[in-house]
């Protein structure tokens, strides 16, 4: 359900507000459009505002993707799939983010995942090595890592020593 403000926002006011918002931090075109829909702006006004914001480089989906991917890798320690899904939810076209995600080496994701699995392993109770591996794999999938990365990292951890 869309939230509509009690007072309508004019096109000039929306442009001013969005320019200030985008000057403070990176925002995608999809986020900007969502904000304008909440304010009740018509589609022609939305198009004009988005064009002005992109022409003045307040909104740049490629720049946003680079920053988003770097942040999610470094701070959130997400895998490729979770990053991909988050970008799709933000309305970023696949052709914009796919080359950037493809450029990241699989070993980068494995380097992120390995310590996560080591830490998680200490908190999991399992009756067998198989059960431990399945629980670790489920955890890694929830963080957005791909099966090949998960298998490599789980094989690196010597789980059989725990049993």
């Amino acid at each position: 359900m869309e939230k509509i403000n009690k007072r309508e926002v004019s096109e000039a006011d929306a442009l001013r507000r969005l320019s200030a918002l985008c000057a403070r931090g990176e925002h995608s075109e999809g986020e900007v459009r969502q904000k304008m829909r909440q304010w009740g702006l018509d589609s022609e006004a939305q198009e004009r505002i988005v064009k002005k914001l992109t022409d003045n480089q307040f909104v740049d989906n490629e720049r946003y993707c680079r920053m988003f991917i770097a942040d999610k890798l470094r701070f959130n320690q997400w895998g490729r799939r979770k990053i991909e899904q988050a970008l799709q939810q933000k309305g970023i076209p696949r052709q914009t983010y796919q080359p950037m995600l493809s450029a990241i080496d699989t070993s980068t994701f494995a380097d992120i995942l390995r310590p996560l699995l080591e830490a998680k392993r200490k908190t999991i109770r399992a009756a067998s090595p198989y059960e431990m591996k399945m629980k670790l794999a489920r955890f890694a999938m929830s963080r957005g890592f791909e099966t090949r990365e998960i298998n490599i990292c789980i094989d690196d951890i010597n789980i059989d020593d725990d049993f």
Side-chain angles (χ1 to χ4, degrees), residues 3-156:
K3 176 184 163 190
I4 299 175
N5 290 344
K6 291 182 181 178
R7 72 177 179 98
E8 288 203 17
V9 178
S10 69
E11 186 174 338
D13 193 32
L15 180 60
R16 183 187 56 74
R17 285 184 182 184
L18 290 171
S19 296
L21 178 73
C22 292
R24 286 191 304 267
E26 289 294 331
H27 292 278
S28 69
E29 186 178 320
E31 290 172 326
V32 168
R33 287 182 186 280
Q34 177 63 32
K35 191 66 98 170
M36 288 187 287
R37 277 192 298 274
Q38 289 175 350
W39 292 338
L41 286 172
D42 62 86
S43 59
E44 289 104 26
Q46 288 180 26
E47 290 302 320
R48 287 190 298 269
I49 290 172
V50 167
K51 178 152 180 30
K52 286 178 186 174
L53 291 172
T54 53
D55 288 348
N56 293 322
Q57 297 181 344
F58 282 106
V59 173
D60 182 349
N61 279 344
E62 286 186 26
R63 184 179 64 214
Y64 177 80
C65 282
R66 279 192 301 279
M67 297 300 189
F68 186 87
I69 291 168
D71 283 354
K72 296 308 173 189
L73 283 173
R74 184 174 179 199
F75 299 114
N76 296 66
Q77 298 177 326
W78 285 1
R80 187 183 318 265
R81 294 290 167 230
K82 193 162 186 171
I83 293 171
E84 217 172 71
Q85 290 171 346
L87 288 169
Q88 286 172 352
Q89 285 181 327
K90 294 197 177 282
I92 306 290
R94 184 177 180 85
Q95 63 268 21
T96 302
Y97 66 79
Q98 194 59 46
M100 293 174 206
L101 280 175
S102 298
I104 301 170
D105 190 34
T106 303
S107 66
T108 303
F109 289 106
D111 292 341
I112 292 169
L113 180 59
R114 202 169 285 112
L116 288 173
L117 290 178
E118 286 287 352
K120 185 67 175 175
R121 174 180 162 207
K122 295 173 185 170
T123 66
I124 293 178
R125 295 189 188 275
S128 68
Y130 176 78
E131 185 181 355
M132 175 68 79
K133 287 178 182 179
M134 290 301 104
K135 287 182 177 187
L136 287 173
R138 207 170 308 121
F139 166 75
M141 283 183 202
S142 75
R143 298 294 295 249
F145 291 94
E146 295 178 329
T147 307
R148 68 177 179 269
E149 297 155 356
I150 295 169
N151 289 336
I152 290 168
C153 291
I154 287 178
D155 289 343
D156 290 347

